[in-house]
Amino acid sequence: MARAQSQYLRIYDTTGITHQRWQSYYSGKTVSWGGASWQYVPFFADGFTAGISGDESDITVTAPATTLVMQAFESAIRQGRLVNLSIYQFDTTLGNNEPQAGQELVAAFTGQVVGGSGGLTSMAIQLGSALSPVGAQIPPRKFTTRIMGKGAKL
């Protein structure tokens, strides 16, 4: 039995509107999985196994600096968008051209875009909790009326 893993990334906002759906396994193809279409973008997610449970460590998603990725990442950083990242494992002897109905969920992470970086060839976003893990300092996010609502007027 030959095993492979595919990654799926969904960028969405607090209202549930999906802005991007990417997969990084089926090269050059848009595939259907879970009732949605997933566009091929060769991204890599690092940090799933780097930390221990509950340590609030970030996951970094790195992708080539294409126009699509730059626009999506810059918007996600600016708007503090949410990201759902899932890794599935499947048997390649049963077919390797489209997602299999029986593939197994290996890991999943949902977090908010809390930072990012970029260069000439690649861009990266950090996913984590917007809340500070220790102490009473202000969480590492931009406070806007869209996030907090309108403040009380005295």
Side-chain angles (χ1 to χ4, degrees):
M1 179 190 301
R3 305 298 277 176
Q5 290 184 344
S6 57
Q7 296 183 349
Y8 295 84
L9 179 123
R10 175 180 170 232
I11 300 174
Y12 61 104
D13 60 32
T14 56
T15 64
I17 295 173
T18 299
H19 297 276
Q20 297 293 329
R21 278 192 176 95
W22 298 342
Q23 55 87 16
S24 67
Y25 183 80
Y26 304 95
S27 181
K29 292 177 68 175
T30 298
V31 297
S32 293
W33 171 248
S37 294
W38 300 81
Q39 182 179 1
Y40 175 73
V41 173
F43 68 89
F44 176 76
D46 185 28
F48 265 113
T49 59
I52 58 172
S53 178
D55 71 349
E56 295 294 331
S57 62
D58 291 343
I59 288 181
T60 302
V61 177
T62 305
T66 63
T67 303
L68 172 70
V69 171
M70 289 189 322
Q71 290 173 349
F73 280 8
E74 287 173 358
S75 179
I77 292 166
R78 202 172 37 256
Q79 300 294 322
R81 292 204 167 127
L82 302 172
V83 174
N84 179 269
L85 181 63
S86 302
I87 297 177
Y88 287 90
Q89 180 174 279
F90 59 95
D91 183 359
T92 59
T93 61
L94 299 176
N96 207 17
N97 295 327
E98 60 186 43
Q100 299 172 10
Q103 60 186 350
E104 303 170 38
L105 179 64
V106 176
F109 178 83
T110 300
Q112 185 174 19
V113 177
V114 294
S117 61
L120 292 175
T121 59
S122 68
M123 291 195 71
I125 54 173
Q126 283 80 40
L127 311 178
S129 173
L131 301 176
S132 178
V134 179
Q137 64 257 43
I138 294 175
R141 73 187 303 180
K142 295 177 186 174
F143 289 112
T144 65
T145 55
R146 185 170 170 248
I147 293 171
M148 295 179 54
K150 297 208 180 216
K153 293 186 180 185
L154 302 176

